[in-house]
Amino acid sequence: MSRTELAKLIRERRAIKKGYNDKKVTKETVMQLLEESIWAPTHGMRQPWRFLFVDKDHLPGFAKKIAATYPEERQENRENYLNEPNAILVVIMETSDIPKQWDENFGAVSAMIQNFWLLAWEEKLGIVWKTNPHIYDEKVKEILHVKDNEKIAAFIHMGYFDETPEEKERIPLADKFEVFKG
Ligand SMILES: Cc1cc2nc3c(=O)[nH]c(=O)nc-3n(C[C@H](O)[C@H](O)[C@H](O)COP(=O)(O)O)c2cc1C
């Protein structure tokens, strides 16, 4: 792949948050994309990630369980919301008591997720990294068997889509770049 193609992919990738169609997101597709994504940089070769894939057939039961952790008046809304994508990939990160290692692990997981996002985009599979309050909820961690030395880094909502969202402008680099002058 030429540098130009990679730059184009980076620029054109979008977060697909809604408008998922019915085409099924399979375990095989997700595993194939992850096989490449896990070549992300990872300090100490810790590879501090693991994955829990929820396909369309299992999404209703999953959504009900996660939604049940919310106050009653929010549950129906959250259940519907979690049923919108065609599949969800839960990304679980290994934490650390050592801040340096915690940061490195989150950095590695983020790089891996960006790989996944770009590769999915190339396949016209829409995804979005979600950090809704439930990913921080101890009850959700229990339901998903997330261990004490782990955190949920992301719920990745996934689905094929028909309409590409508008691009969101970036702040010009010149506004965020300076040269150290001693
Ligand atoms: C760490 C992280 C967390 C995010 N969490 C959410 C989220 O909880 N809900 C959401 O709708 N989008 C979430 N997003 C997606 C961003 O909103 C999206 O990337 C941003 O609007 C830029 O749009 P683009 O990715 O299409 O360029 C998250 C993105 C990142 C990197």
Side-chain angles (χ1 to χ4, degrees):
M1 183 191 263
S2 74
R3 189 154 169 237
T4 313
E5 277 176 273
L6 178 58
K8 187 167 160 4
L9 183 59
I10 290 169
R11 274 222 186 203
E12 291 182 356
R13 177 214 55 82
R14 298 272 76 80
I16 302 298
K17 305 188 184 201
K18 54 183 179 175
Y20 305 108
N21 63 33
D22 289 336
K23 185 174 167 187
K24 197 163 184 189
V25 179
T26 65
K27 179 183 92 174
E28 288 71 26
T29 298
V30 169
M31 287 185 74
Q32 217 173 358
L33 297 172
L34 286 175
E35 289 284 5
E36 308 302 335
S37 307
I38 58 173
W39 284 85
T42 168
H43 195 40
M45 293 309 294
R46 285 195 293 277
Q47 302 163 70
W49 44 67
R50 65 183 184 90
F51 308 96
L52 179 67
F53 177 63
V54 187
D55 70 11
K56 188 68 182 167
D57 297 338
H58 294 89
L59 202 55
F62 175 88
K64 198 171 251 328
K65 279 191 175 165
I66 304 300
T69 64
Y70 278 89
E72 209 172 328
E73 65 277 11
R74 292 278 291 145
Q75 290 181 6
E76 192 184 340
N77 172 288
R78 291 298 81 186
E79 187 178 340
N80 292 339
Y81 168 79
L82 287 162
N83 271 303
E84 281 173 21
N86 196 272
I88 291 180
L89 181 69
V90 181
V91 181
I92 298 160
M93 175 195 130
E94 209 178 293
T95 57
S96 173
D97 294 335
I98 305 164
K100 171 178 157 27
Q101 288 195 359
W102 202 106
D103 288 354
E104 290 160 359
N105 286 0
F106 195 72
V109 167
S110 300
M112 184 277 298
I113 293 177
Q114 171 72 346
N115 285 349
F116 182 74
W117 209 329
L118 292 170
L119 291 164
W121 189 256
E122 209 174 33
E123 302 281 318
K124 301 190 166 37
L125 167 62
I127 77 162
V128 58
W129 180 342
K130 292 278 186 177
T131 44
N132 303 105
H134 46 253
I135 77 163
Y136 303 98
D137 191 317
E138 287 302 320
K139 298 187 288 291
V140 171
K141 286 179 74 174
E142 239 172 77
I143 292 166
L144 302 180
H145 307 292
V146 176
K147 300 182 205 109
D148 287 346
N149 68 333
E150 293 179 320
K151 83 174 238 96
I152 299 171
F155 269 29
I156 298 184
H157 290 206
M158 297 183 282
Y160 295 92
F161 59 97
D162 302 313
E163 264 182 53
T164 306
E166 293 283 301
E167 79 172 40
K168 293 179 179 169
E169 244 181 83
R170 269 31 179 190
I171 299 163
L173 175 65
D175 293 358
K176 288 182 171 277
F177 185 92
E178 53 187 316
V179 175
F180 178 68
K181 296 205 176 86

